[in-house]
């Protein structure tokens, strides 16, 4: 997920963590995004949050993010993590089973 800044990304991540929807989030600030929006070329600083969870929670996570996010159309993407270690996968399962 992208966000306008680190504070917004952290706020959303903490809310999802408190609801046991994600196991953790890595937030990268100072990312430059270049895109076209409403016919205009834009270049802006953003933060990216990589959040780890289970695929079956994605729709709930997406709805929760949309309810909190400041963007009209935030980038919320699910990326399958093939090949994750068994210990990591079990940890994700434990952290998101509430």
């Amino acid at each position: 997920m992208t966000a306008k800044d680190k504070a917004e990304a952290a706020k959303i991540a903490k809310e999802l963590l408190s609801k046991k929807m994600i196991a953790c989030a890595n937030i990268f600030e100072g990312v430059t995004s270049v895109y076209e929006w409403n016919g205009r070329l834009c270049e802006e600083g953003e933060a990216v949050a990589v959040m780890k969870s289970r695929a079956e929670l994605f729709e709930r996570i997406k709805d929760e993010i949309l309810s909190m996010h400041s963007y009209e159309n935030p980038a919320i993407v699910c990326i399958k993590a093939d090949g994750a270690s068994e210990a990591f996968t079990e940890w994700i399962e434990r952290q998101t089973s509430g």
Side-chain angles (χ1 to χ4, degrees):
M1 174 200 79
T2 55
K4 66 179 180 177
D5 56 27
K6 182 181 176 182
E8 181 175 52
K11 178 182 176 189
I12 292 170
K14 288 174 184 176
E15 183 68 21
L16 295 173
L17 278 165
S18 75
K19 293 181 177 182
K20 300 281 189 195
M21 297 173 82
I22 64 171
C24 70
N26 304 110
I27 299 172
F28 304 88
E29 62 182 325
V31 175
T32 301
S33 294
V34 180
Y35 57 96
E36 185 178 322
W37 186 252
N38 294 325
R40 215 179 84 232
L41 184 62
C42 303
E43 182 175 336
E44 297 182 30
E46 292 186 298
V48 175
V50 177
M51 296 178 258
K52 285 88 167 187
S53 188
R54 295 179 287 130
E56 59 266 24
L57 294 176
F58 179 69
E59 290 302 318
R60 285 181 52 210
I61 291 167
K62 182 173 66 173
D63 291 344
E64 197 72 27
I65 291 170
L66 288 170
S67 75
M68 294 183 281
H69 209 289
S70 65
Y71 288 177
E72 179 182 334
N73 185 22
I76 306 167
V77 180
C78 179
I79 300 170
K80 190 173 179 182
D82 289 334
S85 72
E86 186 176 329
F88 182 74
T89 303
E90 289 171 357
W91 177 74
I92 296 289
E93 188 73 32
R94 283 192 312 273
Q95 294 301 111
T96 59
S97 297

